[in-house]
Every structure is written in C-alpha cells, then in structure tokens.
Amino acid sequence: MSITIASWLVVKNLQEQNAHYQFDAALAEAVGQIKHHFAGYEQVLKGGVGLMLASDSVTRDEWRIYVESLRLDESYPGIHGVGFSQYIRPAEMAKHIASLRADGFPAYKIWPDVPRAPRDDYTAIVYIEPFNTTNRRALGYDMFSNPVRRAAMSRARDSGAAALSGKVKLVQETSEDVQAGILMYIPYYGPGGIPETLDRRRSSLVGYVYAPFRMDDFINAVLRTKLDDLGFKIFDGASITPDALLFDSGKHRLEHPSSPQYTRTVPVSLYGQIWTIEANSRPEFEQSVSSSESEFILFGGILVSILTAVVVFMLSSNKEKTAALARANVELASAINEQQAAVKDLSIATLRTQRILESITDAFYTLDREWRFTYLNNEARRLLRLSSDELLGKNIWEEFPQAIIGPFYREFHRALIENCTVSFEEFYAPLDGWFEVRAYPSVEGLAVYFRDVTERKRAEKMRREADKHIRQQASLLDKANDAIIVRGVDHRIQFWNQGAQRLYGWTSDEVIGRSVEEVIYDDPIPFREAFQQVLRDGEWNGEIVQRHKNGSPLTAEVHWTLVRDDEEGPQRILSINTDISARKMAEKEIHHLAFYDSLTGLPNRQLLLDRLKQALAISGRKHQTGALLFIDLDNFKLLNDTLGHDVGDLLLQQVAPRLISCVRDSDTVARLGGDEFIIILVGGFSPQPEEAVAQIRAICDRIVAAFRKPFTLRGHNHNTTPSIGIAVFNDQSAAMDELLKQADLAMYQAKAAGRNSACLFTPDMQSVINDRVVLESDLHKSCERNEFVLHFQPQVKGRRVVGAEALVRWQHPRRGLISPADFISHAEETGLILPLGSWILDSACAQLAAWAGEPEMAQLDLAVNVSPLQFRQPDFVPQILETLARTGANPGKLKLELTESLLVRNIEDTVAKMTALKAEGVGFALDDFGTGYSSLYYLKRLPLDWVKIDQSFVRELLTNPHDATIVRAIIILAKSMGLKVIAEGVETEAQRNYLARHGCSMYQGFLASPPLPSAQFKELMRKR
C-alpha cells in the first residue's frame, strides 16, 4: 500500500507541474500576440508619418488612399481607424477653421468648445479613415481637452516615440455596445524629422498620427481561439478595480460555475502604459491538461492490497477453501500485473519528459520556492560546470553567490513576486560567459531556460567596434565638402556621406539600399553610358546633370572609381561628386553677357558677326541666297530726348519680340546698338534672284506691318516706324564689313525716301557711301580751316524788317557752298556741333556788335539756333555771357532758338539756364513748334518770347485744312500765353496774307528774301 501511495504522489506532482507550465506558456503566448499586434499598428502609424515626410502637404484624398491600401480589416484586425490630429496654437485657430470649412466642411468647428480661460494649445482631428459614420463624429475633436489623452500625447511628443493612452471612452461610441477604448499616438514634427532636444520637440510639433481601439473588438480579434482556453480580465494600470477594467472575456461568454484550477495575475508594459492581466483557466484547458494516470495507479494499488488481505484471511481461517485461494491468487496476480503496467507507463512518460528536456539545445533547470535545484538537464549541467548530484537540493544563491549581485537575483525574485515571465542577458564572471535567460514562474517555483551567447556577444562587440571604426572613417568622409557615394554594380547605394546629403537633400537613411539612378537622375542615358565606361576603363570623369530631392536640376563634376573584389570582378563604385551648378551658371551668365544684349536679350554685335560669318559660309557652300536687314527706328532720338532714355529702353525691349515674330526660327535677330537692329535671313529663298528679292521684301513688309500696332510705354500708346536697309548676299558676296555698310546705306536711303519703308542696296549707292565718308572727313578739317560762313535771312513784320536769323553754310573748297541740311546731322553725331556752335555764336554776336554802329542795322534782332547738345553743356550760360561781353553785343538783341526736344529733358535745368540768360536780356524762341512733344505745362514754365510756326505747316497752309487748323491753333495758343508768333517758310503773298488775317504778322522765307551773305544782307537793308 505504501508503494502505491508513493507512486501516486510522484505521478500527480509531475502532472501538476506540466499543467502549470502549459498554462504559463499559453498566457505568455497571449501577451506576446498582443504585443506583436501593437508593433504592427505602430508600423502603420509610422507609415502615416512617412507619408507626411515625403510630401510638403498631404491631402485628404492622399490620406484616404494610404489607409485604404493598408486593408485594415484583413491585415490589422482590431484597429478602428487611422487619423491625423493637428496641433493648433490659439493664434492659428481662426485660420485652421476657415481652411477646413473651405475643404468641404462648412459646419466644421473644434470641439468641445474652447474654455473660458483659453489654453496655450489645442488639437483637432482633421483626418480619420475610413471616414464612415462613426469615425465622422471625431472630426474636429480636441483630444487635448481630455487629461488621459493629453498625458499620452505629451509623452509621445517629448519622447518622439509611440505612446499608448489609458482607458477612455472613444468619441465614436454610441449608446449601443459601449466598449472601453484606448489610443496609440506617434508625433509628427514636420519635414525635418525628430528634433534632438526636448525644447525643439515641443516647439516643432505639427500634430499626431493616431489610431483608436475598442478593447472588446481588439482583444477578441487578436486572441480569438485563446479565449476558448483562458479567461482574461485586463485592467488599466496596477489597480484591479471596476473603473480600471479594459476587457472582460466573461462579458459575452457563459462562465463555468466552478472555480478555475489555474490563475495568474501579470503586469504588462505597453508603450509607456501598464496593463494588469488577470488570467484563469477555462474547463476546455483544464480538460486538455488533465490525466487519470495517478488515480488509476492509486485505485489499482488499493485493490491489489485488499485482495491480498482477503486471501491471507481465507487461508488462515479455512483450509478447505484452497480452490478459492487459487482463484484469488490468479486475480491477485492479474491485479499486480496491471499495477506494474501502470507504473511502467508512468515511468515511460516520466522518462520521455526527461529525454525531451535533455535533448533541447537550451539549458534548463527548475527551482522550488526555497530556491533549491529540483531538476537540471544535460546542457544546464554542462554550462554550470557541476553535476546533478552537486546541485540537486542545493540553494542557487549559496552555490552561485556572485549571482546575487545583478539581474539574476533581482529578476528571479520579481518573477515569483509579480508572477510574471522575465528575460534578460547578463555576463556571469565566475563562468566567464554571457547568458540569455528566460524564467517562468509556477506554483512550484521557477522554470529557467538559458543559453550561452558569449560568441554572439563577442561577435556583436566586434561588429560594434567595426561599426565604430567605419563611423570614424565615415565621419572623416562626412567632413568632406564633396558628395561621396558608394554603390554596388546593381546601383544600390551602400554609403552616403553628409556631403551627399547637403548636395542632394536626401538623408542616408532615406537612400541606403535604393538605386542611385532612381534617386538622383532624371535622364538615365548619360548615367548608363558613363557606367559602361567605368566598367571598361576602371574610372570615369566628367560632368553630368543630376537631380535634387526637391526636383531641381544640378550639374555635378563626378569622378567614378571601380572597386574590384578578390577575384578581380566588379564589386562596387566609389563616386566623388562636386556641385558645379554655380560655376556653370556663372559660365552661362558670362557667355550671355559676352554674346547677348543685356537690355533686349538679343545676340549682340560679337555674336551677330559670328553668325553672319556662318551664314556667308553656308551661302557660299550651298549656293543659297540670304539677306542682311539693317533696321533703324524712326525718330527714336526724339523719344529719348523728350521722354528720357528709360522710356526709350522700354521701347527697345518691346521691339525685340516683334522682330522675332516676323522671321523664321533659322534667322537671327540681333541688336547692333542704340536703336539699330540687324536681321540675318538664311536660306530658304528661291534660286531665282528676282523671286528671292521678292520673298525678302515680303518679310520686310511683315516687319513694317508689325510696327503699326502701338507700343505701350508706361500706360501710354506710342507709335514708331522702322526704316529698313536690305543687303542681299550669295556665294559671290562681299565681306561682312561691306555687307553691313551696304545695309546701313540702304537704311539711310529708306529714311531719305520718307521712312517707314525698306530699301534694297544697289551698286549705285556705293558712291553715296564714299561721298558720305569724304564729307565726314572734310567736316573734321573744316573747323581748322575756318570754312564756315553765316548767311542771314530777314524776319519781316508787315513790310518792315525787324530782325534776321543767322544760318550757317559750309564753304567747301571743292563742292562749293553746302547747306546745313547736308552736314549738321553729321556734326551732331560726331560731336563737332560743339565747336561749330561756339563759332556760330561768336560770329553772330560779333555781327550784332558791328550792326549796332550802322543806323539802318542797329534796330535788328538776331536769332541764332542752339543745338540741344550745346545747350546741355554745364558752362552754356557762362559761355553766352562771356561771348556777349567779349564781342560787345547787346544781349537784348540776341534771340536764341531752341527746339522742342529740349523742353522735356531735365526741365529744371532748362528753366534755370533760360532764366539766368533772360535776366541779362537774352530772348528765346521755340523753333519748329508743333512738330515735337511740347506740353502746355512746359510752355507755361519756360520764359519764352516767341513761338515759331514750322515751315511744314506753312507749306500747304492754303491746300491742307489740317495744316490750316494747326496754324490757327498755334497762333491762338501763343497769344493766350502772351507770346509773339513768327512763321517760317513763307513763299507767297497768299500765305502771308492768310497768316496776317489770323493774327501772325511776322514771317521769314523766300517771299521776303532767301538767306544772304552779310554784305548782300546789308545791301538789302539799305534798299528797303
């Protein structure tokens, strides 16, 4: 009987140990599944952060597409949605609400309502997908308004990592099936990633990517079949109270009335939040781990003992019952055999368990609650370097005293006290090794698995040291200004230094493992060609266009070196890239400055000559006809003089695109300088000369037509016309300089023909060019030779001569007397007008002084024309006064005639000079009135005495009603301003009479007399 009871106790003890072990394992697996699913949810939220980091802004549709791609119901059961909550400061509140309302939510607001004492910050849910009926309720919810949510969000913000909230009621909940809720948060700080310091994290916060969970739905989805074997209650925090209850598996299940055989209460740490899990066994689990072996052994042993006692009793009391005894012996033997079979089965099961424990690769031992060894497998004996006889029944802390200091003692005690699984890694000096340890508590004590990880730790240390060395080397490379990149022959990036991050905008974490072709190249062809060359030659140098992270192009000077493996096969490529975008831009700018006009952007003279040289070469080689168009803007100088050079520049800028619009893509439009443009027409013309010229004239007609549309200059319309000179070239053409001169001459012929037209150069014009060159050369010598003379044209009032106009003539030694119309413009262009004008004033004042001594001449005024260039000289006033003083002329008899172009250029200076001379008695007349840009404002300010009607209006006074109207208007205007009027170019009595009839009695012209030399003018005065 004693043997039976002993066997029963051994078997029953082993069964209970196995059941507790399976229960602990099932609980640990359930906790692991919860943690595993939360790790997956964390990756979902990190994906949302990554989506925001990859774009300047994420739209609602982009957020929806991202969440839909996750297929939450299939891949992430238990999650209620994925959203984004924006962080808002009070000053940003109104703008935020207006933005969401404009995004299709006209009734949007942040809720709960802002408290009477405003907070420093708020949050608002702006995205939540799937955007179904329940999730829609969360739009605009301020999660900072709830202390539990805010605590978790603050923890996530400060750590930069995921955080789990405590128990809350989700805003999505209705009155039906209300469940406890929790939320997971990951902070988003903007495109810069996670800031390094706490202060920067708090100041950089943009919002949170988050996910809500309904606990019943979550745990039922995660544990599923586990709930058939185990019952769970999960509490928020360390306290087990109804208010802290997050989940109760008995809520929807019919619990067994009997008490569970196995229970555990374990704390679990999840993303900064503590859960207390209370687990108990359910009948299904208890039935799966139960066994009748111990009861069978006990029952069989008792039966055998009883039978034996009966047999002995019968033998001692009744020898006659021998036959019954024999039968009883048979039954006894059978019972004994059955008991022996049961003990044998039990021994086999025990042996099988021991063999399993002996065969596992991990070391395993068990401790009772007095810390005594109760079992060690072979691997445990090997690692601990002691036999079972040396350890069984011994206290672990006495056998291994140094383990008291460190995690062994602390964690083993925590496992028993808190009834939780513990795991750690620690170096144990007496055994000179690192061990990975996992301990599982039970009613009997601890089951401990451990393994020797010394080699792994040594490898990790070597890897850390190697990584440290690599980082040290990389830090040196990071200090380089150049981008240093290492990639495999598959183009996948293996190393990316700080210089590469600065150059391209990508961090190392963003590009390692990606194809460099995908990351920084838009056009793969040059990259692949260079790659083939580096494979062939071992290195490659050159310039290549690459791409920044923001999409902008950059030009890099690169040096690629092929690195080979031990077998001389291509292994990787070292690339050193230098940003030369600034240099290329500078080169481009220098090229543009060297070859393009800075005002219009057209080719300048240098590029023009280069293209003209190419055009002539092509024409000669292909026997094609081309043309050079020389374009000058009519009256451009007058625009500059009247409205200023800045307005003239505006006109030039608008002329350029009009010219381009009139020609073909193969032609060249260039600015030669000033208001002169050149167009090179290349090829495409008929081989027949007459047809080619007609085609070229058609292009000129398009240009003239294009100028008919007014130009808008500072809000005002301005009309201008072009004069175009055409020089045709072919394979027999002259040199470039000759072509330019021919086109220039043809342009002047177009001006002489009335402007706003095109003129084709002919050989007959060459003589005109030669004459012009000779004229300009002689003009320079004429001042030295004193070849200029003054003629005088009388100015008549009624029938009496009251004055004269001094008109210069050039007494050329070969060509005779030359009119000013033939040389004054050349003198203006060359600057000779200054010495010539000074001579004219000297001679005129000397003549006035001489006339003062002659009675018939003394009363005459003398008018002298003043060039605008001469008038603008700073010493103009002193020069006039000095001339008057030196010659002795009467200032009151000197009348200076100014053109209208003077009036709008530096009006203050003009008024000051005229006033100064007016104070000395000098008079002023406005010459050619009506042909320029005078305004009443300027006329009102100028100290004028006379207004001179231009001869262009007088010439057709009697035949052109418009001219007659203009003349009458000028007379009326002058008289209304108190000015005298004189008309020039009067040649007939009818003209004089018309003028007199309308109030202009003073005139000059051939009716009275042509301009006369001094002696003849005196004779005329004596006769009158």
Side-chain angles (χ1 to χ4, degrees):
M1 178 67 73
S2 60
I3 294 174
T4 298
I5 293 173
S7 299
W8 172 72
L9 290 174
V10 170
V11 172
K12 184 173 182 61
N13 183 52
L14 288 174
Q15 287 176 341
E16 288 182 354
Q17 287 185 7
N18 181 59
H20 279 289
Y21 174 76
Q22 291 188 42
F23 178 77
D24 291 341
L27 175 58
E29 183 179 354
V31 172
Q33 287 179 350
I34 292 173
K35 290 184 175 181
H36 171 73
H37 278 78
F38 270 126
Y41 302 144
E42 179 186 6
Q43 295 306 312
V44 168
L45 300 191
K46 285 183 176 179
V49 173
L51 176 65
M52 292 190 163
L53 288 171
S55 175
D56 292 338
S57 62
V58 176
T59 66
R60 190 173 303 277
D61 285 340
E62 290 171 337
W63 189 263
R64 175 181 53 76
I65 292 170
Y66 167 68
V67 177
E68 286 178 351
S69 70
L70 297 173
R71 299 163 66 184
L72 296 179
D73 292 340
E74 300 176 20
S75 305
Y76 302 95
I79 195 168
H80 200 64
V82 180
F84 179 71
S85 179
Q86 185 175 342
Y87 178 74
I88 306 167
R89 294 173 178 83
E92 302 165 344
M93 182 88 66
K95 181 179 179 181
H96 168 80
I97 293 174
S99 174
L100 265 291
R101 289 178 177 177
D103 195 28
F105 301 96
Y108 173 83
K109 67 174 183 177
I110 296 177
W111 63 283
D113 292 337
V114 178
R116 292 182 179 179
R119 302 196 309 267
D120 292 335
D121 47 13
Y122 303 84
T123 64
I125 297 173
V126 293
Y127 297 159
I128 178 69
E129 294 291 341
F131 200 50
N132 50 30
T133 304
T134 56
N135 278 336
R136 188 182 296 267
R137 297 191 190 100
L139 187 67
Y141 177 63
D142 175 16
M143 289 193 276
F144 267 15
S145 65
N146 176 262
V148 176
R149 290 178 171 89
R150 183 171 187 128
M153 296 169 84
S154 299
R155 196 167 68 246
R157 175 200 64 200
D158 293 348
S159 66
L164 204 64
S165 78
K167 178 182 177 182
V168 298
K169 180 180 180 181
L170 299 178
V171 295
Q172 289 94 332
E173 290 291 351
T174 62
S175 58
E176 299 179 1
D177 187 27
V178 177
Q179 301 179 18
I182 59 170
L183 301 105
M184 177 180 277
Y185 301 96
I186 289 185
Y188 171 60
Y189 302 98
I194 302 176
E196 296 181 358
T197 65
L198 178 60
D199 289 341
R200 288 186 58 194
R201 289 175 188 169
R202 291 179 175 178
S203 63
S204 302
L205 182 66
V206 176
Y208 299 86
V209 178
Y210 82 100
F213 302 87
R214 302 177 80 220
M215 282 298 295
D216 289 0
D217 296 343
F218 170 62
I219 296 298
N220 285 325
V222 170
L223 298 184
R224 290 192 292 269
T225 57
K226 284 288 179 189
L227 297 176
D228 295 333
D229 293 334
L230 303 181
F232 290 94
K233 287 185 179 180
I234 302 176
F235 298 89
D236 179 24
S239 62
I240 302 178
T241 63
D243 289 340
L245 183 64
L246 289 171
F247 173 79
D248 183 359
S249 61
K251 180 178 179 181
H252 301 294
R253 289 175 179 265
L254 180 63
E255 295 295 336
H256 197 272
S258 61
S259 299
Q261 294 182 13
Y262 309 101
T263 62
R264 292 285 186 276
T265 301
V266 296
V268 178
S269 178
L270 292 166
Y271 298 96
Q273 193 70 17
I274 299 296
W275 283 2
T276 299
I277 299 181
E278 190 178 83
N280 58 75
S281 60
R282 292 179 58 80
E284 291 85 347
F285 176 84
E286 295 168 359
Q287 184 177 358
S288 68
V289 299
S290 66
S291 173
S292 60
E293 287 183 355
S294 60
E295 287 78 5
F296 180 75
I297 290 172
L298 179 62
F299 175 77
I302 293 173
L303 179 63
V304 169
S305 298
I306 293 173
L307 289 174
T308 302
V310 170
V311 170
V312 172
F313 173 78
M314 290 177 67
L315 287 174
S316 63
S317 62
N318 190 359
K319 295 182 178 179
E320 289 80 11
K321 297 180 179 179
T322 303
L325 180 60
R327 289 193 301 271
N329 285 335
V330 171
E331 293 176 359
L332 176 62
S334 175
I336 291 172
N337 289 336
E338 290 177 358
Q339 180 180 5
Q340 289 177 342
V343 172
K344 182 178 180 181
D345 290 341
L346 177 61
S347 299
I348 291 173
T350 304
L351 181 61
R352 184 183 302 115
T353 301
Q354 290 179 344
R355 285 176 178 174
I356 291 172
L357 292 175
E358 292 293 334
S359 64
I360 62 175
T361 57
D362 284 354
F364 174 77
Y365 62 83
T366 57
L367 302 170
D368 62 17
R369 288 188 172 266
E370 300 299 324
W371 304 108
R372 293 187 295 260
F373 285 99
T374 59
Y375 175 79
L376 299 93
N377 71 352
N378 183 58
E379 182 66 10
R381 296 190 295 272
R382 186 183 72 80
L383 292 180
L384 296 178
R385 303 176 187 175
L386 292 171
S387 66
S388 295
D389 293 339
E390 293 173 300
L391 290 177
L392 288 176
K394 304 291 181 63
N395 186 290
I396 186 174
W397 311 123
E398 295 175 357
E399 297 301 316
F400 300 96
Q402 293 192 24
I404 296 175
I405 305 172
F408 288 96
Y409 188 88
R410 182 182 68 250
E411 292 299 303
F412 281 8
H413 279 75
R414 186 170 71 87
L416 286 182
I417 294 171
E418 299 180 4
N419 195 29
C420 64
T421 301
V422 297
S423 61
F424 58 90
E425 292 182 354
E426 179 64 12
F427 180 77
Y428 188 62
L431 297 180
D432 191 26
W434 278 90
F435 297 93
E436 178 188 294
V437 183
R438 301 187 309 281
Y440 301 91
S442 66
V443 175
E444 291 76 15
L446 279 182
V448 180
Y449 294 83
F450 68 106
R451 66 179 64 177
D452 186 354
V453 293
T454 304
E455 289 301 320
R456 193 194 78 197
K457 287 289 186 178
R458 186 177 293 114
E460 289 177 353
K461 181 180 179 182
M462 293 176 62
R463 185 170 64 252
R464 286 195 301 271
E465 292 175 349
D467 290 344
K468 180 180 179 182
H469 178 72
I470 291 172
R471 286 194 300 272
Q472 290 174 344
Q473 298 296 320
S475 68
L476 294 176
L477 296 179
D478 282 338
K479 294 178 181 177
N481 291 326
D482 294 334
I484 301 177
I485 304 169
V486 178
R487 69 178 190 270
V489 291
D490 60 353
H491 305 318
R492 299 199 174 276
I493 299 169
Q494 300 173 359
F495 176 76
W496 183 273
N497 77 335
Q498 290 289 329
Q501 179 174 335
R502 288 190 297 270
L503 179 56
Y504 301 108
W506 297 95
T507 65
S508 177
D509 292 340
E510 291 175 316
V511 299
I512 294 298
R514 294 178 61 186
S515 169
V516 70
E517 179 181 329
E518 168 196 337
V519 173
I520 61 175
Y521 291 96
D522 277 329
D523 184 0
I525 296 177
F527 169 79
R528 293 172 185 173
E529 291 175 348
F531 174 65
Q532 293 302 320
Q533 186 171 341
V534 79
L535 289 180
R536 184 178 65 251
D537 302 335
E539 63 177 359
W540 181 77
N541 298 285
E543 297 178 1
I544 195 166
V545 177
Q546 299 173 331
R547 181 186 67 239
H548 190 272
K549 182 180 181 180
N550 61 18
S552 62
L554 60 90
T555 304
E557 186 176 66
V558 303
H559 180 89
W560 292 355
T561 301
L562 181 66
V563 180
R564 299 185 180 276
D565 57 21
D566 294 339
E567 298 178 357
E568 292 302 311
Q571 187 179 44
R572 58 178 61 94
I573 295 172
L574 170 65
S575 176
I576 301 177
N577 302 349
T578 304
D579 184 9
I580 59 171
S581 299
R583 191 186 81 194
K584 298 299 288 185
M585 289 181 64
E587 290 175 355
K588 184 177 180 180
E589 181 67 20
I590 291 171
H591 179 271
H592 193 274
L593 291 174
F595 294 102
Y596 289 86
D597 174 49
S598 60
L599 179 64
T600 63
L602 296 176
N604 61 12
R605 183 183 183 91
Q606 185 173 352
L607 184 55
L608 165 70
L609 295 176
D610 181 67
R611 292 191 179 175
L612 180 57
K613 182 179 179 180
Q614 295 178 27
L616 291 174
I618 293 173
S619 177
R621 186 170 61 253
K622 297 184 177 181
H623 306 289
Q624 294 179 345
T625 298
L628 189 70
L629 306 184
F630 197 120
I631 302 172
D632 185 89
L633 305 185
D634 299 329
N635 298 315
F636 181 75
K637 185 175 184 299
L638 183 60
L639 175 67
N640 263 349
D641 291 341
T642 55
L643 299 182
H645 285 278
D646 52 342
V647 177
D649 289 346
L650 288 177
L651 176 61
L652 295 176
Q653 290 172 337
Q654 295 183 31
V655 164
R658 288 207 193 178
L659 292 176
I660 293 173
S661 68
C662 296
V663 298
R664 304 159 301 181
D665 292 340
S666 59
D667 300 328
T668 295
V669 179
R671 183 184 177 210
L672 191 61
D675 62 330
E676 296 176 339
F677 295 85
I678 298 290
I679 297 179
I680 305 172
L681 303 178
V682 183
F685 298 115
S686 170
Q688 301 300 322
E690 295 80 5
E691 294 180 5
V693 169
Q695 293 168 345
I696 293 167
R697 283 191 177 276
I699 294 175
C700 294
D701 291 341
R702 285 206 301 270
I703 295 173
V704 172
F707 276 69
R708 293 191 185 117
K709 181 181 177 182
F711 294 88
T712 303
L713 306 178
R714 293 185 177 173
H716 300 285
N717 289 339
H718 173 77
N719 290 286
T720 190
T721 56
S723 293
I724 307 173
I726 308 169
V728 177
F729 59 83
N730 49 45
D731 54 352
Q732 303 296 324
S733 294
M736 291 189 297
D737 290 344
E738 287 299 317
L739 273 176
L740 285 169
K741 290 179 181 178
Q742 291 173 5
D744 187 18
L745 177 60
M747 181 272 294
Y748 275 105
Q749 291 296 318
K751 283 188 178 294
R755 304 181 179 182
N756 194 27
S757 62
C759 180
L760 178 67
F761 175 82
T762 62
D764 295 341
M765 296 179 184
Q766 190 62 50
S767 59
V768 177
I769 293 178
N770 297 337
D771 291 344
R772 178 180 173 184
V773 171
V774 171
L775 181 67
E776 291 179 359
S777 175
D778 289 346
L779 189 59
H780 281 275
K781 300 173 184 176
S782 60
C783 292
E784 302 171 4
R785 298 173 179 173
N786 195 22
E787 295 175 351
F788 295 104
V789 296
L790 287 183
H791 284 200
F792 302 92
Q793 185 172 42
Q795 295 179 334
V796 181
K797 183 176 183 181
R799 299 291 179 178
R800 183 169 60 88
V801 177
V802 296
E805 180 178 4
L807 300 169
V808 67
R809 298 291 188 267
W810 182 7
Q811 189 65 55
H812 195 278
R814 296 187 309 277
R815 299 174 58 182
L817 199 64
I818 300 177
S819 168
D822 295 330
F823 67 85
I824 287 295
S825 61
H826 297 297
E828 294 271 6
E829 293 173 3
T830 58
L832 288 174
I833 194 65
L834 292 177
L836 179 57
S838 179
W839 178 86
I840 292 171
L841 276 170
D842 279 351
S843 300
C845 288
Q847 188 65 68
L848 264 178
W851 285 351
E854 303 177 22
E856 68 275 13
M857 311 289 287
Q859 83 283 0
L860 297 180
D861 294 330
L862 184 57
V864 179
N865 289 286
V866 176
S867 162
L869 181 62
Q870 184 181 7
F871 185 87
R872 294 192 189 105
Q873 297 304 305
D875 61 345
F876 177 73
V877 172
Q879 179 186 359
I880 296 296
L881 297 179
E882 188 275 331
T883 300
L884 289 168
R886 176 165 40 80
T887 58
N890 181 4
K893 295 296 183 181
L894 179 63
K895 180 169 61 176
L896 300 181
E897 294 191 0
L898 308 177
T899 58
E900 289 187 57
S901 60
L902 266 175
L903 304 186
V904 292
R905 181 81 178 271
N906 198 351
I907 185 65
E908 301 299 334
D909 181 65
T910 300
V911 170
K913 288 179 178 178
M914 292 177 66
T915 302
L917 292 175
K918 186 77 171 178
E920 299 296 328
V922 178
F924 289 95
L926 185 59
D927 196 12
D928 303 333
F929 184 73
T931 61
Y933 294 86
S934 298
S935 72
L936 296 180
Y937 173 74
Y938 295 138
L939 287 176
K940 180 180 70 173
R941 295 190 60 191
L942 296 174
L944 293 170
D945 299 288
W946 293 272
V947 170
K948 204 168 188 180
I949 302 174
D950 188 68
Q951 62 180 337
S952 61
F953 300 125
V954 176
R955 187 179 300 115
E956 298 181 7
L957 176 66
L958 302 176
T959 58
N960 189 324
H962 296 296
D963 288 345
T965 301
I966 292 173
V967 168
R968 292 195 302 271
I970 293 173
I971 295 171
I972 294 171
L973 176 63
K975 287 190 174 184
S976 67
M977 299 181 69
L979 301 177
K980 301 173 186 177
V981 184
I982 180 172
E984 63 178 1
V986 177
E987 298 181 355
T988 66
E989 290 285 349
Q991 291 172 342
R992 183 189 65 183
N993 294 337
Y994 183 92
L995 289 167
R997 231 178 15 253
H998 289 88
C1000 176
S1001 58
M1002 288 186 63
Y1003 70 93
Q1004 67 183 77
F1006 277 62
L1007 177 62
S1009 170
L1012 300 171
S1014 178
Q1016 295 181 21
F1017 181 72
K1018 287 181 183 180
E1019 183 65 26
L1020 174 67
M1021 292 300 297
R1022 279 195 293 269
K1023 290 181 178 178
R1024 295 178 70 95

